[in-house]
Amino acid sequence: MAFYEHLGWRSVRVPAGTTPGIGPAVWVEDPLGFTVEFFHQAALADRLQQRYDLRRGAEVARLDHFNIVVPDVQGAYDYYSSLGFGLSETIEDGQTLYAAWMYRKQTVHDMAFTGGAGPRLHHLGFFAHESHCVLRTCDILGSLHEEAHIERGPGRHGVSNAFYVYLRDPDGHRLEIYTSDYYTGDPDHPVLRWDVTDPRRRDFYGHAVIPSWYAEATTVLDLEGNPRPAREIRQVEEVTVGADGFPAR
Amino acid sequence: MAFYEHLGWRSVRVPAGTTPGIGPAVWVEDPLGFTVEFFHQAALADRLQQRYDLRRGAEVARLDHFNIVVPDVQGAYDYYSSLGFGLSETIEDGQTLYAAWMYRKQTVHDMAFTGGAGPRLHHLGFFAHESHCVLRTCDILGSLHEEAHIERGPGRHGVSNAFYVYLRDPDGHRLEIYTSDYYTGDPDHPVLRWDVTDPRRRDFYGHAVIPSWYAEATTVLDLEGNPRPAREIRQVEEVTVGADGFPAR
Amino acid sequence: MAFYEHLGWRSVRVPAGTTPGIGPAVWVEDPLGFTVEFFHQAALADRLQQRYDLRRGAEVARLDHFNIVVPDVQGAYDYYSSLGFGLSETIEDGQTLYAAWMYRKQTVHDMAFTGGAGPRLHHLGFFAHESHCVLRTCDILGSLHEEAHIERGPGRHGVSNAFYVYLRDPDGHRLEIYTSDYYTGDPDHPVLRWDVTDPRRRDFYGHAVIPSWYAEATTVLDLEGNPRPAREIRQVEEVTVGADGFPAR
Amino acid sequence: MAFYEHLGWRSVRVPAGTTPGIGPAVWVEDPLGFTVEFFHQAALADRLQQRYDLRRGAEVARLDHFNIVVPDVQGAYDYYSSLGFGLSETIEDGQTLYAAWMYRKQTVHDMAFTGGAGPRLHHLGFFAHESHCVLRTCDILGSLHEEAHIERGPGRHGVSNAFYVYLRDPDGHRLEIYTSDYYTGDPDHPVLRWDVTDPRRRDFYGHAVIPSWYAEATTVLDLEGNPRPAREIRQVEEVTVGADGFPAR
């Protein structure tokens, strides 16, 4: 808490169980405007990894990452660098960092930054083992005539190599189910930098990104549970330069 | 030839080898305006089915079907019914037959009809064994920075259940690589009729069809090798009613 | 019935519903000693093909074929040839036909013959769309600690190219779940003949076949529902020559 | 080097390039009898991760782990624990540790121990992204009539959940191609302990392990490049107790 107090940001202690299964915790409003929870104890859930008999749908193996919308991607990168996160991939040009993927665990990312009005949550990313799991998620939604919840994909990202689908849950929050990113644990793991004009950066098959995917995101709450206002983007937007969301431009 | 002469359409005999590997043949301009080849002898190619060591890319197992653009889908259906083709699926409403899938072999189709200015060839369809073969095709095109050849997909059709991708070859001709249609050989196999307003009919995941997929198709040649002019569509268009190609309407 | 009476084999008419969903039928004891049902009417079941939400486990798409154990494979081949079945693949050498795969529909087989004491039923074969469906079947059985029901596989057959697993149901009857055989509908479709000493014929990966797979099969019943005695094999056995079931020889 | 000298084991410095692409290194004969290389510099190879156009066969994503044969599994576990490796899974009973899987990176293992005459190398393990990559490896070997190089599998391990195949290279060294193990990076990641009598521990589908898989392994070389003699196993063998390699017992 002292670290954040030193930075001038608010924090609060919350008792065990405030988040189900989580021990005593500290909630902080971080410099990017997101409420972050720190804890040192979590209840173990049953190991269902080989309970194939119980698996349905997406067969998610784990929660993998958060993608957040920030008005200043360079600032978000600087802050997470200061926390010890490594950089795996970027979208950039000579002037601007449009997006960045950063990791603590040995995968492509635990946190990614999308440029836009923020703080907002872009999506939660869940890992599945194989591409047919991603397809199955879509097939089930089609079967149930709930295909309107499939916002984007299936497709492959250039960035991260993930084969993905993006869903919107009934409240509009965005979820990604993906597979096939890669190991980043080598100490000299090189950064992969994508040019913002490469049409494969957001979709390796070159398809236009649906505009809602750039425009819409989830409001975040402050320590009191009130919506935090989003500041307008301070930099040139990727969609203005790369135009992959707006084929008519 | 007498059958077509009786119908008043032109035909010609061509010697063996006019089409490589094909014996003596008859070419006919059929009532729909397409040049069709009849033959009774074809050279056998090497059996490469288990030459996994030679497989690259799409791993196509066979040429499966033709999809043609016709200005009068009901007329195309009537003609192919008269030839003994069975009907597997349709897109329709109370007034209009917008599209139909018809078969001689025991799959969903050998011929399908898309409403539009015609005669034109919409695409050739190639069967692959599994969905990862379809994805691999796309991945390779992305690797080679040839992603512009991926017109539509990957995705799953509601009609036929096919998991598909549509490619445009360097001359603009459209190819489909697909998997997972089904057996239609039972003598009482029932027709599946899709309502033209069901957003899943053309993409089971509910995504808008890219406009070029409806609008563009390949000119066909007459018996002398000259382009045949396309007659304008005589019926209401699926894209006008179902609107799946034009999300802004 | 006259055809079978002429052959001197017994037959009987049974009323609609004797087999659930099947109309009035004729049961025949055929020349190979199997009871075969002929019918012209079957109730349509719900179309569950795109009900991905209901799918569990093997995701079987259809019942595909029967494999029967006969003491004289050449005799079984001759009989089914006389019924108009086509031949897709064999296991043979200069002297003996050890096994044969025959088809009416346009796949590798509706009927296959395995040499051994018969008449007995070797297995029922069910088609699934992709290899991960076959693996999923095995994974679920492992999860439930019912792995003893997995008799053989997963693996790929040389014959038919099928990626397979063989299960034994609680009564000991054998089921195959497989994918990736091929189209045989061309009128000049060539026969593929495997030498009985090729270790890939029964398993393309060269693994020994578990002895129970050759030795055990299901007793068949006569028209009165009594077990039919199995006649001993009249020819050299594939396992004696090819030895793929008995690695210690 | 001082650490190993303190332990009484020999070590030597080798110049850059002794192992291609590796900088100055130290080679050590470790307490288990294996020659281990320590380095701090490695040349970066081209990033081929998205060069799907170049991929053939197994589509290996990375070298993942070593499995070694040791006469005393508990001793190997103690030694690697002292180096800071975590324990993910074991095969054991009340008396004996038969096998153990240990990790530094956040996967199931970097090192695994199989009980037997040692020091010997059991196999190198390579990660592939999806199960169809494992099957493809086998299919290609079958196509080339090199199926004798497929020693065991495809199948799924109970331990690690890996879908695997084991190959023997032309010199007899064993390689594993596998997919679908799991993330172990949580600080309280629990150990999964398999009973030595559970037939699913080595094959989740319950199949017997081929005897060569337990019996055969690669001789290791000492610092001078001479073969190290293997000491006999000092403990009860898993194959004696669990018997999964020897179905006839």
Side-chain angles (χ1 to χ4, degrees), chain C residues 224-237:
Chain C
E224 287 75 33
N226 299 316
R228 289 190 66 99
R231 288 163 284 153
E232 285 309 299
I233 187 167
R234 297 174 188 170
Q235 59 180 75
V236 178
E237 281 191 87

Side-chain angles (χ1 to χ4, degrees), chain D residues 214-226:
Chain D
Y214 278 121
E216 298 174 14
T218 295
T219 299
V220 298
L221 304 181
D222 66 15
L223 290 185
E224 287 75 32
N226 299 316

Side-chain angles (χ1 to χ4, degrees), chain B residues 19 25 41 55 76 88 104 112-113 137 157 166 176 178 207 243 248:
Chain B
T19 299
Q41 197 176 38
R55 289 193 189 176
S88 57
R104 285 291 295 181
F113 316 122
T137 307
H157 290 307
Y166 290 95
E176 180 188 22
Y178 84 95
H207 295 323

Side-chain angles (χ1 to χ4, degrees), chain A residues 31-46:
Chain A
L32 306 179
F34 292 88
T35 299
V36 178
E37 178 170 307
F38 294 90
F39 64 90
H40 68 285
Q41 200 176 35
L44 282 178
D46 288 345

Side-chain angles (χ1 to χ4, degrees), chain B residues 50-53 55-56 59 130 132-133 136 139-140 142-144, chain D residues 50-53 55-56 59 130 132-133 136 139-140 142-144:
Chain B
Q50 291 185 312
R51 292 299 305 274
Y52 292 96
D53 55 315
R55 289 193 189 176
R56 302 286 182 267
E59 297 191 66
E130 306 207 356
H132 61 82
C133 306
R136 171 53 43 94
D139 290 333
I140 290 175
S143 294
L144 297 171
Chain D
Q50 291 183 313
R51 293 299 305 274
Y52 292 95
D53 55 316
R55 289 192 187 178
R56 300 289 182 264
E59 298 192 66
E130 306 206 359
H132 60 82
C133 306
R136 172 52 44 93
D139 289 333
I140 291 176
S143 293
L144 298 170

Side-chain angles (χ1 to χ4, degrees), chain A residues 141-183:
Chain A
L141 288 167
S143 294
L144 298 170
H145 217 323
E146 299 285 352
E147 71 281 358
H149 290 289
I150 306 173
E151 183 186 31
R152 180 185 168 203
R156 187 180 300 285
H157 291 307
V159 171
S160 86
N161 195 48
F163 185 77
Y164 67 84
V165 68
Y166 290 93
L167 309 177
R168 301 295 288 271
D169 79 8
D171 293 321
H173 308 306
R174 186 180 287 109
L175 308 176
E176 181 188 21
I177 314 290
Y178 85 95
T179 192
S180 287
D181 65 341
Y182 55 87
Y183 177 74

Side-chain angles (χ1 to χ4, degrees), chain B residues 128-150:
Chain B
H129 279 296
E130 306 207 356
S131 54
H132 61 82
C133 306
V134 175
L135 302 182
R136 171 53 43 94
T137 307
C138 302
D139 290 333
I140 290 175
L141 288 167
S143 294
L144 297 171
H145 217 323
E146 299 285 352
E147 72 281 357
H149 290 289
I150 306 173

Side-chain angles (χ1 to χ4, degrees), chain A residues 50-53 55-56 59 132 136 139-140 143-144, chain C residues 50-53 55-56 59 132 136 139-140 143-144:
Chain A
Q50 290 183 313
R51 293 299 305 274
Y52 292 96
D53 54 317
R55 289 192 188 177
R56 300 288 181 265
E59 299 192 65
H132 61 82
R136 172 52 44 92
D139 289 332
I140 291 176
S143 294
L144 298 170
Chain C
Q50 290 184 313
R51 293 299 305 274
Y52 292 95
D53 55 315
R55 289 193 188 177
R56 302 286 181 267
E59 298 191 65
H132 60 82
R136 171 53 43 93
D139 289 334
I140 291 176
S143 294
L144 297 170

